[in-house]
Amino acid sequence: MWFYCAGGLMIAKPHHALLWILAVSMGALLVAPFLGMQSISPVAALGAGLPETLAQILYSIRIPRCLLAYLAGGALALGGLVLQALFQNLLASPFTLGVASGAAFGTALYFTLGFNFAILGVGGGSIFGIGGAVVTIVPIFLLARRRLSPTEVLLAGVVLSMFFSSLVMFIQYLSDYTGILRITRWLMGGFDVVGYQAVLGIAPFTILGALVVQSNSARLNLMALGDDLATARGVNVRRVKPLLILAVSLMIGAVVSFCGPISSVGIMAPHICRLLVGLDHRRLIVATFAGGGALVLVCDTLARTVIAPYEIPVGVITALLEGPFFLWLLYARRWARTEVLA
Amino acid sequence: MTALLRVNGMSLSLSAVRLLSEISFQVAAGEVIAILGPNGAGKSSLIKCLNRIFPEAQGQILLEGRPLAAFTQRQIAARIGYAPQRFAPIFSYSVRQFVELGTFSGAELAEGQRRTGVDQAIEICGIQHLGQRDMASLSGGELQLVLLAGALVGNPRLLLLDEPTTFLDPAFQLRVLSILKTLRDRTEGQTAVIMATHDINLALELSSRVIGLSQGRVSFDCTPREILNGDLLTSLYQSKFSRVSVPGRECGFIVPVA
């Protein structure tokens, strides 16, 4: 049977669900640039009939913004998926483990100190963001190696997250009025860019990180069982785990440095995709990246259209979705335990 | 007989706590070795050193005559199956999915061969009816059988079983015993088993050798018959035991006496 009913929802079978997620995701990516305060006709865009102003809006603002939102969403979602498997914790995400807060602190520090440099084409903001992410995740990783329970690891992440959030607040306190506004707005998350610099800034890290994760998909299946069983079944956990943590740090650090710490995606997208395509990371990684990208893209499109000409920070919308999502998840997991068995 | 596994002077310290000291023994193909010892004696730690879950182990561990360090983790997994003492899955794996994950070490095998290996392991453990059940919904006994099936995938030459009958009712204990006997018959005595257990009677019934572990050290390494003839169990557990004769059971039953 092509469809089965679960918890009142009609869900496609896992391999079909992946195709649906990819199709919806690509559809969102194709449609979103044409939506906004000023609607743009795709037909006119494909022909030569687009006025210069609209062409500039489409090619210099909308398309880069949509690509940035998609890549950022995919990276944040994938980061959550990997951390949940590595730490065997359903609540693990770049936020709950403090990685995003660490990256935010690194980037805020870069801005506040007035640095402006790049190394090998990589902006200083990204370098500081990635550095902040690494500084946060390394203690978590070392604690996890001391065989702490998933709850204890999560608690350590929450504490680190609070610590780095406090440091960001301290930086804000020391900043002038403009700096405070700038950091506050950036912390709410957003993709307000012109041109492709930001897209090109995060694309290499996101793509590299995603490739590293995908190439370890079979290992992630086992690591989600715990380090002991993964080792016993043939995974070199001591080598693979740091590699995956580095890949996540690269992705999250780069995304946060450009787009701010956008919350909730790293929790919501992996859980939704797990329910739809099952637990096999060989499918789940692709689904989560595409699903997370689409989720943030849709949120951003809502952010810039709902009360246009004003704009809602995208982080506000994703955070608003988190509460209802968890209520739904509690309900959905009841049937997931018995029915989503790919 | 050539040793499948040889352990020489193995020690283990974790977080500055000495868990194992100067452990030495060897296992031949087809041997069944039971590791007995009180709680905290280091039985689980010993098991975990043998497939490098604890790579911190010092000393010499030779598998098929080669140092364990000369093998990749995947090569070790292809040779050594492992069933843990406890497992609490976070994600909703089905029984079949869980057992299939045991095929990772046989990645070079064709899909059909891997599927056959999974089917065989499920059949040996008699859990065909549980295939689509969620791991989290299993009883303790069912879970233990599934863990055993996961360890059997790929026909490993050595099985490491960490307390395979703990928390099981008598019926499930007998099933585990029956599975291990079936395995012995099917592999014509080629698969060796090392099991940590608190079940003295299971150890005497099934094993060819019994190793007593106390405070991280080997206190005895002997045959089941030698155990029956001495005070080894009394000194190991600091408790008295009595032997109850049962017709048809050579070793009888060992019961603790207050």
Side-chain angles (χ1 to χ4, degrees):
Chain A
M1 197 163 68
W2 209 80
F3 283 94
Y4 68 96
C5 185
L9 298 173
M10 296 298 283
I11 307 290
K13 280 189 172 178
H15 48 288
H16 291 131
L18 174 60
L19 294 177
W20 272 108
I21 290 171
L22 288 174
V24 169
S25 176
M26 285 301 109
L29 196 54
L30 288 174
V31 171
F34 298 102
L35 303 176
M37 190 173 68
Q38 175 75 60
S39 287
I40 298 171
S41 161
V43 178
L46 285 172
L50 205 61
E52 193 179 334
T53 318
L54 287 182
Q56 193 137 16
I57 290 174
L58 180 65
Y59 295 114
S60 299
I61 297 175
R62 295 262 182 91
I63 290 178
R65 179 176 183 143
C66 289
L67 285 173
L68 187 64
Y70 190 86
L71 285 173
L76 290 166
L78 200 51
L81 178 76
V82 173
L83 294 175
Q84 284 158 26
L86 290 186
F87 295 104
Q88 298 97 53
N89 198 315
L90 296 173
L91 292 176
S93 79
F95 274 82
T96 52
L97 289 185
V99 187
S101 301
F105 167 67
T107 310
L109 190 67
Y110 174 81
F111 288 142
T112 307
L113 292 177
F115 290 145
N116 188 12
F117 66 85
I119 298 173
L120 299 172
V122 180
S126 293
I127 292 169
F128 268 65
I130 291 165
V134 170
V135 164
T136 319
I137 198 73
V138 165
I140 300 283
F141 170 64
L142 293 176
L143 280 171
R145 273 179 68 162
R146 294 174 69 89
R147 298 180 180 270
L148 294 187
S149 72
T151 310
E152 289 170 315
V153 171
L154 190 69
L155 196 60
V158 170
V159 169
L160 275 173
S161 182
M162 288 164 63
F163 175 72
F164 283 110
S165 296
S166 304
L167 286 178
V168 171
M169 282 202 300
F170 184 60
I171 287 176
Q172 280 180 286
Y173 178 73
L174 294 179
S175 302
D176 57 22
Y177 188 68
T178 315
I180 291 171
L181 275 180
R182 187 183 177 195
I183 294 174
T184 304
R185 176 63 189 87
W186 170 74
L187 286 173
M188 291 178 185
F191 307 105
D192 201 2
V193 294
V194 177
Y196 291 87
Q197 192 187 353
V199 176
L200 294 174
I202 72 165
F205 297 105
T206 304
I207 292 167
L208 178 67
L211 287 175
V212 169
V213 173
Q214 180 63 37
S215 66
N216 285 287
S217 56
R219 293 178 182 87
L220 265 176
N221 280 340
L222 283 159
M223 293 173 84
L225 300 176
D227 289 0
D228 285 4
L229 259 181
T231 305
R233 299 285 187 264
V235 179
N236 188 341
V237 171
R238 294 198 165 225
R239 189 177 61 81
V240 176
K241 204 165 186 174
L243 179 70
L244 288 171
I245 282 175
L246 181 64
V248 170
S249 301
L250 280 177
M251 289 193 292
I252 303 304
V255 166
V256 169
S257 68
F258 279 101
C259 313
I262 301 157
S263 67
S264 311
V265 190
I267 290 270
M268 288 193 291
H271 282 298
I272 293 169
C273 293
R274 210 177 271 120
L275 289 172
L276 295 176
V277 306
L279 298 168
D280 189 340
H281 284 80
R282 288 170 295 185
R283 277 194 299 258
L284 190 52
I285 288 166
V286 178
T288 302
F289 191 92
L295 178 66
V296 172
L297 183 58
V298 169
C299 288
D300 183 55
T301 306
L302 288 173
R304 59 189 169 82
T305 53
V306 170
I307 54 167
Y310 302 105
E311 201 174 288
I312 306 168
V314 69
V316 173
I317 293 186
T318 56
L320 280 173
L321 288 175
E322 194 169 10
F325 168 76
F326 269 108
L327 289 177
W328 172 76
L329 185 67
L330 282 172
Y331 170 71
R333 273 184 64 79
R334 286 177 58 196
W335 56 261
R337 281 213 164 278
T338 53
E339 295 190 48
V340 181
L341 301 171
Chain B
M1 207 184 291
T2 313
L4 174 64
L5 182 81
R6 188 189 296 271
V7 178
N8 283 326
M10 184 181 77
S11 300
L12 174 71
S13 296
L14 291 178
S15 304
V17 178
R18 188 81 155 178
L19 299 175
L20 297 171
S21 299
E22 294 298 317
I23 304 283
S24 297
F25 65 94
Q26 59 181 37
V27 187
E31 263 197 303
V32 178
I33 293 183
I35 300 172
L36 292 177
N39 289 327
K43 301 186 294 296
S44 296
S45 301
L46 169 57
I47 292 267
K48 289 178 180 179
C49 289
L50 303 180
N51 60 353
R52 221 159 55 192
I53 289 177
F54 285 160
E56 298 90 346
Q58 304 286 312
Q60 193 179 43
I61 304 173
L62 299 176
L63 178 64
E64 297 172 346
R66 291 164 60 202
L68 207 57
F71 292 89
T72 64
Q73 198 59 43
R74 198 176 259 202
Q75 288 170 331
I76 292 172
R79 289 162 174 79
I80 302 178
Y82 168 74
Q85 181 182 358
R86 292 192 195 91
F87 177 62
I90 300 294
F91 300 104
S92 302
Y93 284 99
S94 73
V95 165
R96 174 131 196 133
Q97 279 179 322
F98 176 81
V99 178
E100 279 174 350
L101 288 175
T103 62
F104 177 74
S105 59
E108 72 284 357
L109 298 175
E111 178 66 26
Q113 283 176 291
R114 280 191 277 165
R115 198 174 299 133
T116 306
V118 171
D119 291 339
Q120 280 175 350
I122 286 177
E123 188 228 318
I124 289 174
C125 295
I127 52 169
Q128 297 91 325
H129 61 292
L130 299 177
Q132 293 308 309
R133 280 270 298 278
D134 182 350
M135 292 280 286
S137 73
L138 301 178
S139 70
E142 290 169 335
L143 182 63
Q144 204 63 54
L145 295 180
V146 174
L147 293 174
L148 193 54
L152 290 177
V153 175
N155 296 320
R157 295 194 65 196
L158 174 62
L159 267 183
L160 302 176
L161 308 179
D162 196 353
E163 305 203 14
T165 57
T166 304
F167 311 124
L168 300 192
D169 65 32
F172 271 111
Q173 288 183 21
L174 288 174
R175 277 185 74 177
V176 171
L177 187 68
S178 161
I179 289 165
L180 294 177
K181 284 179 175 172
T182 305
L183 184 70
R184 190 172 58 192
D185 296 340
R186 283 201 180 193
T187 61
E188 296 173 341
Q190 285 305 298
T191 301
V193 177
I194 299 177
M195 59 176 175
T197 182
H198 283 298
D199 189 337
I200 298 168
N201 293 299
L202 173 75
L204 296 180
E205 167 82 10
L206 200 66
S207 58
S208 45
R209 262 177 44 230
V210 180
I211 293 175
L213 208 60
S214 177
Q215 295 183 329
R217 291 178 183 275
V218 173
S219 60
F220 59 81
D221 181 349
C222 61
T223 63
R225 183 171 290 278
E226 286 171 307
I227 285 208
L228 296 171
N229 295 336
D231 291 332
L232 295 175
L233 287 177
T234 302
S235 64
L236 184 67
Y237 289 103
Q238 302 294 308
S239 299
K240 288 183 179 172
F241 291 87
S242 181
R243 182 179 167 191
V244 180
S245 296
V246 176
R249 189 180 156 96
E250 189 188 356
C251 298
F253 270 98
I254 304 290
V255 290
V257 180

